[in-house]
Amino acid sequence: MEIQQLYYYMELCKQKNFTEAGYACNMTQGALSKQIRKLENELGITLIRRNTRKFELSKEGEIFLSYAKKMTGTYEAVSYTHLRAHETRRH
């Protein structure tokens, strides 16, 4: 799992549309779909129900969204802390 996949997933959940989310992520709908499918395969769960015309998260997808938000938040906090520590050492 890559951190960028979590950001893609969160954007997809926000946009509720593969085409719009792909645009927001600077990729095609097909490339975004491939990344989400890769994430699902790695997790062994279905995040998005694709058999309907409208966007729909699975139960597992809803749960994973909250984890994705926590993981990216932690990643950003650690990255910021690391950056600040590095800047402090340079002065």
Side-chain angles (χ1 to χ4, degrees):
M1 180 184 322
E2 298 175 23
I3 194 74
Q4 195 60 45
Q5 290 173 308
L6 302 179
Y7 286 109
Y8 295 154
Y9 179 66
M10 291 188 315
E11 186 63 33
L12 177 59
C13 291
K14 177 181 169 186
Q15 298 290 337
K16 296 183 172 28
N17 180 290
F18 275 91
T19 302
E20 294 298 318
Y23 180 77
C25 295
N26 287 324
M27 62 175 48
T28 65
Q29 172 272 327
L32 176 62
S33 183
K34 191 175 190 177
Q35 287 296 315
I36 300 303
R37 181 79 65 195
K38 186 176 173 183
L39 184 59
E40 288 177 318
N41 288 340
E42 188 172 336
L43 295 169
I45 59 174
T46 299
L47 299 170
I48 310 293
R49 290 199 185 104
R50 291 174 174 79
N51 59 351
T52 61
R53 279 237 178 251
K54 64 178 185 165
F55 179 90
E56 191 175 19
L57 286 176
S58 67
K59 183 73 121 181
E60 295 85 358
E62 292 174 18
I63 294 167
F64 185 72
L65 178 58
S66 67
Y67 287 127
K69 289 177 181 178
K70 289 176 187 173
M71 287 186 280
T72 55
T74 300
Y75 174 80
E76 290 168 11
V78 168
S79 295
Y80 177 77
T81 301
H82 176 73
L83 178 63
R84 297 293 296 158
H86 183 69
E87 287 178 355
T88 303
R89 281 187 248 142
R90 291 171 58 195
H91 295 292

